[in-house]
Amino acid sequence: MASFEDKFDDNKVEKWKEHYVNYGQMRALLVTIKGVAEAYESLAKRRPDVAAEFGPSSAEFRLERGLNDMSIAEGNEDEDEGTGSENKSLVETVGKGGEYGSTGGEIGGDELAFRQDFAMHKKALDNVVAQFKSGLTAERNKAAKFYMKEVAGLERRLELLISTVQSNYELKKEPKRNRRTVMRQRRDSMILMKSARTLISEKHDAPDMGVIIDEEDDIDNQPISVRNVVNEMESVKRALVDLHRQTILLFNFFMMTRSALLRLLRRFNATLPKQKWDAQEVFPERYDGRKTKNLIDRIVKMYAKWFCDNDIREATAQMLTKKGDDLEMDWSQFRLGHRLGICLTLTVWLASDCLWSLWTQGIVTLAGRSAFPVFRACFGLLVWHWCWGGSAYVWRRYRINYIYLFDFDPKTVLYPRAIFNACVDETMVFLVTLLLYYKSSTHTMPVWFAPGIYPALLVLYMLSRFIFPLKQRRPLWAAIMKVWTAPFSSPTFFQTYVADVFTSMVKVLLDLLWTVCFIFSGDFLLPDQVDTGEDRHGWQHAKWYKNIEVIICLFPLYIRLMQCLRKFYDTHERVPHLPNAFKYTMSQVVTLFGKFYPVLHLSCSKSGASCGHMSAFQVTWLEIFIFSSMYSWVWDVKMDWGLGKKDYNWLGPRLMFPSTLHYYGVIVADLFLRFLWMQSLVPPSSGAHFELPAYLIAVSMVLELIRRTLWSFFRLENEHRTRTQHYGEKEDIDFVPLHFTTGHNHKYQQNNKRSGKRVLVEVLAVGLSVLVLCSVVVIIAQKASQDQEF
């Protein structure tokens, strides 16, 4: 779990780093305050009479009055001086006696020592509190002064851009007596309006678009260059996008600084509740983020008016989309493409070999092999790893700050390209072991050991990938343990996300159960045979195995149910937690119906009743199946994604993806895939009419993982929008900044760039290996043909 300090440092803009609040230093000062306060309170509890005699410190109240008089605009950070000259030393005062309520007589040695010790602790507490308050005020003034200066500069840039565009348009609009010049100016206006829709501000009327240009007049024959106009418009567009980006970064600066100050203030008030410091004294009215919010809205409206036919949503999406950030060419990209080519070659080789053997020799393909569920389980995990890399790429591209939302440690989180590199390496190992297993099981290559050794080695490899590197995997396993122990701990957003992913991996978990039994029973050492449906694996048909299958189908749903109930317990909010709990309860009912269906079907057969048609039990099961699927789909759209609002064309406000077709398409796809997900909760061999055949399990597995990936795009978008739309509420502590490349040296942005020499050596080594292999194959084939001739 990343601390706020890590996330605060991770979202700093490198060129502004000296203007941010020094959160680490102020937090260390709070630790000192806590230690001194605990020592002071310990002494005060021992002698309440002495604590009452000393009374409150006047230095604290004088400092607070000084804070209210400080000017943000001038950046005055001076404090009241003369604290030591106005107050006598507490130690000296105690030594004289009388001023702090003493009886005026001589004080004994022990009493005097205690009073001196108490006075020293109180003085130390007063000093460190004064130091904290003056330091916090200085940090606030530093950030506020920079913020106000940058806001003014951005406003000037926007006004200059608008005035430049307006002045250029007004020059073209001035009437001329020369007919040829007038026609050229009108054509310029038409081109300008076609390129930028309308390049004027609200202060000017729209140009007259009723100008008719004769078809015989060729624009290319005019002196004005269309290309220059288009380039000019592109320059304006780039200027607006850059201005929008800078304004958002400044708003992030303000909100992150405000969040840091509020966290420090809240911790201070919790440490010293008797000296509570009001937030209104820390944040004057001038230090307000609404200036940048209004400036952002104004820029978006300008962009929409000039380039998007006044479509605010489309303008926002175009300006936020990442284009070109961190896409500089390096050799690691070439390495990624090179290994993807190897994976594609292995895939084509494996597919063609399976199909050719099936058509020419009638050899059963991989789906009919005994170890196929092992490869299917590993394939499911591999597909989800690819989906996670795609999710990270999409979130990063469209400025969804998943690192912040998930509370990831910026020092260990992987960059999307690094995730894809790991996926490519795992895919290569998977395809190689799968190809070797198929060749060995069909005896089309020398058999040195049992073919089951290959899937066992693949399992060991995948297990190592889940454990190493420890620094990156430890947070994942910690989150999984928190998920499994629900509801004994309050779930975070990432933990609920992990639990949702588990509900989509039921088929993968069932195959993992099969894999564990296959390995530990020693069946992987047996000669490979075609799966004919015989009872070769006795454990597969045991009662305990069937019961574990049902538990696996129910357990992810149980986790989410417990998380919803724990959320309700923590927040006392019935909506949305109780309706969400009802959703997972209905899903569990579907699973339980599948568990008891074979029992009822068997009792129906023994009683002699007709079982040819659907019974009342089956009808009820089907109705619950349909209702649960529809309920889950509506919940996805309305609650998880924040869509389905009539005022926004059944979508939602402040969308972050560029096209509405993305939303409508995913909504429709989710409707159908939700039924497929519900079907995955039915235990295997339940006898249900809607149960998928075994050869389609891998397809349904992949489709469900893709559905969960699409769901995650909009789920995090909605979470990001929800936690950024309420400015000024909840003390802005939960603000989530948009994900921009800030120039900061983030750990997760170290792309593991490889030198061109290393990549070329790898390419040459692979090419040489392929050449040697092909030569060996040709020599062996020629020798075999010669032996047949003799």
Side-chain angles (χ1 to χ4, degrees):
M1 185 69 65
S3 63
F4 174 80
E5 185 175 357
D6 291 333
K7 294 189 288 186
F8 182 71
D9 292 338
D10 184 62
N11 285 276
K12 287 181 179 179
V13 180
E14 181 67 19
K15 62 180 180 180
W16 298 345
K17 61 181 181 180
E18 66 272 11
H19 302 289
Y20 283 88
V21 172
N22 195 335
Y23 184 82
Q25 180 179 350
M26 298 304 298
R27 190 170 179 272
L29 193 56
L30 278 174
V31 175
T32 304
I33 291 177
K34 184 177 180 181
V36 176
E38 289 176 351
Y40 171 78
E41 290 294 333
S42 177
L43 293 176
K45 288 180 180 180
R46 287 172 54 189
R47 293 291 302 275
D49 55 331
V50 175
E53 292 176 6
F54 275 75
S57 172
S58 59
E60 297 169 8
F61 297 107
R62 179 172 62 258
L63 178 60
E64 291 178 3
R65 289 196 302 271
L67 290 175
N68 292 330
D69 298 334
M70 299 187 77
S71 172
I72 291 292
E74 298 179 359
N76 183 17
E77 303 175 6
D78 296 333
E79 304 173 22
D80 295 336
E81 299 179 356
T83 301
S85 62
E86 294 179 4
N87 296 302
K88 299 178 180 180
S89 171
L90 293 177
V91 179
E92 295 176 357
T93 303
V94 172
K96 294 178 180 179
E99 184 168 343
Y100 286 93
S102 65
T103 59
E106 293 296 329
I107 302 176
D110 293 340
E111 180 70 13
L112 178 61
F114 179 83
R115 287 175 177 270
Q116 289 179 342
D117 190 27
F118 187 87
M120 292 177 61
H121 279 83
K122 186 169 183 59
K123 182 65 176 178
L125 181 61
D126 291 343
N127 289 338
V128 73
V129 168
Q131 183 181 357
F132 173 80
K133 289 189 173 183
S134 61
L136 190 69
T137 305
E139 294 294 329
R140 177 205 64 184
N141 290 343
K142 176 183 67 175
K145 184 177 180 180
F146 170 77
Y147 171 75
M148 299 300 296
K149 178 182 177 181
E150 290 296 314
V151 169
L154 292 174
E155 289 176 341
R156 288 194 299 268
R157 285 180 57 186
L158 180 60
E159 293 297 337
L160 179 61
L161 181 62
I162 294 175
S163 62
T164 301
V165 172
Q166 291 175 352
S167 62
N168 291 341
Y169 179 74
E170 291 298 329
L171 286 175
K172 293 179 173 64
K173 193 177 179 181
E174 291 180 359
K176 302 293 182 178
R177 292 188 177 183
N178 186 287
R179 182 179 181 278
R180 182 180 181 85
T181 304
V182 170
M183 293 301 297
R184 182 169 62 250
Q185 291 170 351
R186 289 179 177 178
R187 291 186 182 90
D188 293 349
S189 299
M190 294 293 293
I191 296 171
L192 194 63
M193 297 302 297
K194 186 176 180 180
S195 302
R197 311 301 182 189
T198 169
L199 288 179
I200 58 171
S201 67
E202 291 81 355
K203 299 179 181 179
H204 295 76
D205 295 331
D208 183 12
M209 294 301 295
V211 179
I212 305 298
I213 301 179
D214 296 334
E215 294 182 0
E216 67 234 9
D217 293 331
D218 188 3
I219 294 179
D220 294 335
N221 295 330
Q222 301 301 323
I224 188 69
S225 173
V226 177
R227 182 176 301 174
N228 290 340
V229 175
V230 173
N231 291 338
E232 182 179 339
M233 302 315 302
E234 288 296 327
S235 177
V236 172
K237 181 183 290 188
R238 286 193 298 270
L240 273 178
V241 171
D242 180 69
L243 189 61
H244 181 256
R245 176 193 178 100
Q246 294 297 320
T247 309
I248 289 181
L249 286 175
L250 186 61
F251 181 71
N252 288 350
F253 168 86
F254 167 81
M255 293 301 298
M256 293 298 295
T257 302
R258 181 182 175 88
S259 298
L261 293 173
L262 283 171
R263 285 176 180 270
L264 293 170
L265 183 61
R266 185 177 64 176
R267 188 181 292 268
F268 173 81
N269 291 336
T271 304
L272 299 174
K274 295 180 181 180
Q275 302 181 21
K276 189 173 182 180
W277 198 6
D278 190 4
Q280 297 297 328
E281 300 178 12
V282 181
F283 299 103
E285 294 183 358
R286 293 194 62 186
Y287 191 42
D288 191 356
R290 291 183 177 85
K291 292 186 177 181
T292 46
K293 288 284 289 184
N294 295 334
L295 186 59
I296 291 171
D297 294 340
R298 190 179 176 191
I299 295 172
V300 172
K301 289 179 180 178
M302 286 292 175
Y303 189 94
K305 186 174 184 179
W306 293 352
F307 302 104
C308 299
D309 287 332
N310 290 317
D311 190 339
I312 299 296
R313 189 207 57 77
E314 183 180 353
T316 303
Q318 287 186 13
M319 300 179 82
L320 283 179
T321 304
K322 185 186 293 289
K323 295 181 179 179
D325 287 354
D326 299 328
L327 295 180
E328 67 277 4
M329 178 59 187
D330 61 79
W331 284 96
S332 62
Q333 289 182 336
F334 182 81
R335 174 181 177 271
L336 178 61
H338 168 245
R339 296 200 171 190
L340 280 174
I342 295 176
C343 292
L344 180 61
T345 303
L346 290 173
T347 303
V348 173
W349 183 3
L350 181 62
S352 60
D353 203 359
C354 290
L355 293 177
W356 180 258
S357 300
L358 178 64
W359 288 341
T360 58
Q361 304 176 22
I363 298 177
V364 177
T365 59
L366 284 168
R369 297 289 164 181
S370 60
F372 180 70
V374 178
F375 289 100
R376 191 169 58 196
C378 296
F379 177 70
L381 297 174
L382 183 60
V383 168
W384 177 247
H385 200 181
W386 277 103
C387 290
W388 171 251
S391 299
Y393 173 79
V394 171
W395 292 329
R396 181 177 173 81
R397 177 177 175 81
Y398 295 103
R399 313 296 186 185
I400 299 172
N401 202 336
Y402 69 100
I403 299 174
Y404 203 104
L405 290 170
F406 284 153
D407 291 324
F408 284 166
D409 186 354
K411 300 175 183 177
T412 59
V413 69
L414 288 178
Y415 187 74
R417 190 186 301 168
I419 299 176
F420 288 137
N421 279 324
C423 291
V424 169
D425 294 342
E426 294 165 3
T427 304
M428 290 175 58
V429 174
F430 174 80
L431 291 173
V432 168
T433 54
L434 183 59
L435 183 62
L436 291 175
Y437 168 75
Y438 178 74
K439 289 287 189 181
S440 178
S441 62
T442 57
H443 301 284
T444 54
M445 65 169 283
V447 180
W448 296 292
F449 40 77
I453 294 295
Y454 294 108
L457 293 176
L458 178 62
V459 170
L460 291 177
Y461 171 78
M462 297 298 288
L463 184 61
S464 67
R465 298 294 294 178
F466 268 96
I467 299 176
F468 303 103
L470 286 174
K471 190 175 183 181
Q472 295 174 357
R473 300 294 186 263
R474 189 180 294 111
L476 174 62
W477 283 109
I480 291 176
M481 291 302 299
K482 288 286 187 179
V483 168
W484 286 352
T485 56
F488 300 107
S489 60
S490 183
T492 64
F493 178 67
F494 178 63
Q495 290 168 9
T496 59
Y497 173 83
V498 172
D500 281 321
V501 171
F502 275 136
T503 62
S504 295
M505 300 186 70
V506 172
K507 294 297 184 184
V508 179
L509 296 176
L510 290 173
D511 282 339
L512 287 176
L513 171 65
W514 198 98
T515 300
V516 171
C517 295
F518 179 74
I519 298 296
F520 283 94
S521 65
D523 289 355
F524 71 98
L525 298 175
L526 299 176
D528 189 82
Q529 295 181 4
V530 177
D531 188 3
T532 59
E534 299 179 358
D535 190 9
R536 187 184 182 192
H537 309 294
W539 45 264
Q540 186 176 1
H541 305 283
K543 185 177 181 179
W544 61 267
Y545 184 86
K546 297 293 184 181
N547 292 333
I548 294 178
E549 286 183 329
V550 176
I551 293 175
I552 288 177
C553 293
L554 288 173
F555 189 63
L557 302 173
Y558 165 80
I559 290 174
R560 285 297 290 126
L561 174 63
M562 292 297 103
Q563 287 182 338
C564 294
L565 295 179
R566 178 55 189 258
K567 280 287 189 180
F568 170 68
Y569 174 81
D570 293 337
T571 63
H572 303 287
E573 297 177 356
R574 291 184 175 87
V575 179
H577 305 305
L578 292 185
N580 200 17
F582 175 74
K583 179 184 73 172
Y584 292 105
T585 301
M586 293 301 300
S587 300
Q588 292 184 73
V589 171
V590 173
T591 302
L592 292 175
F593 265 69
K595 167 61 177 177
F596 294 116
Y597 174 77
V599 178
L600 295 178
H601 187 76
L602 180 61
S603 64
C604 173
S605 300
K606 291 182 177 180
S607 63
S610 175
C611 301
H613 301 284
M614 293 183 65
S615 63
F617 179 86
Q618 291 175 303
V619 173
T620 304
W621 186 12
L622 185 60
E623 290 175 350
I624 296 176
F625 182 93
I626 296 174
F627 173 79
S628 181
S629 300
M630 293 299 299
Y631 187 90
S632 300
W633 174 70
V634 173
W635 189 272
D636 284 347
V637 177
K638 293 286 292 185
M639 304 303 295
D640 288 345
W641 298 344
L643 306 177
K645 302 182 185 300
K646 187 177 181 180
D647 296 339
Y648 298 95
N649 295 324
W650 301 105
L651 294 179
R654 300 170 60 243
L655 302 179
M656 303 179 70
F657 291 101
S659 175
T660 57
L661 294 178
H662 296 160
Y663 294 91
Y664 292 125
V666 173
I667 289 173
V668 174
D670 188 70
L671 174 61
F672 294 99
L673 294 177
R674 262 299 176 183
F675 283 90
L676 189 63
W677 170 79
M678 190 62 65
Q679 184 277 334
S680 68
L681 302 178
V682 178
S685 304
S686 63
H689 290 280
F690 44 83
E691 182 183 2
L692 287 177
Y695 60 87
L696 291 180
I697 291 178
V699 177
S700 64
M701 178 192 301
V702 173
L703 290 177
E704 172 53 25
L705 294 177
I706 293 175
R707 186 200 68 82
R708 181 58 65 183
T709 303
L710 298 176
W711 172 88
S712 66
F713 293 162
F714 297 156
R715 179 67 187 92
L716 263 75
E717 181 211 23
N718 183 39
E719 184 70 14
H720 192 121
R721 288 188 284 116
T722 302
R723 291 174 60 175
T724 56
Q725 67 182 353
H726 301 297
Y727 168 74
E729 299 181 9
K730 298 181 180 179
E731 295 186 331
D732 303 315
I733 288 180
D734 293 331
F735 172 76
V736 179
L738 286 170
H739 197 300
F740 279 94
T741 302
T742 61
H744 189 65
N745 187 25
H746 305 298
K747 297 295 183 181
Y748 64 89
Q749 289 182 347
Q750 295 177 357
N751 301 336
N752 297 324
K753 295 182 180 179
R754 296 175 179 268
S755 64
K757 182 178 180 181
R758 292 184 60 184
V759 177
L760 288 177
V761 168
E762 178 182 329
V763 173
L764 292 175
V766 172
L768 183 61
S769 301
V770 173
L771 182 61
V772 171
L773 180 62
C774 292
S775 302
V776 171
V777 170
V778 170
I779 293 173
I780 294 175
Q782 290 180 348
K783 184 177 180 180
S785 61
Q786 292 176 359
D787 293 341
Q788 290 179 357
E789 291 179 358
F790 291 102

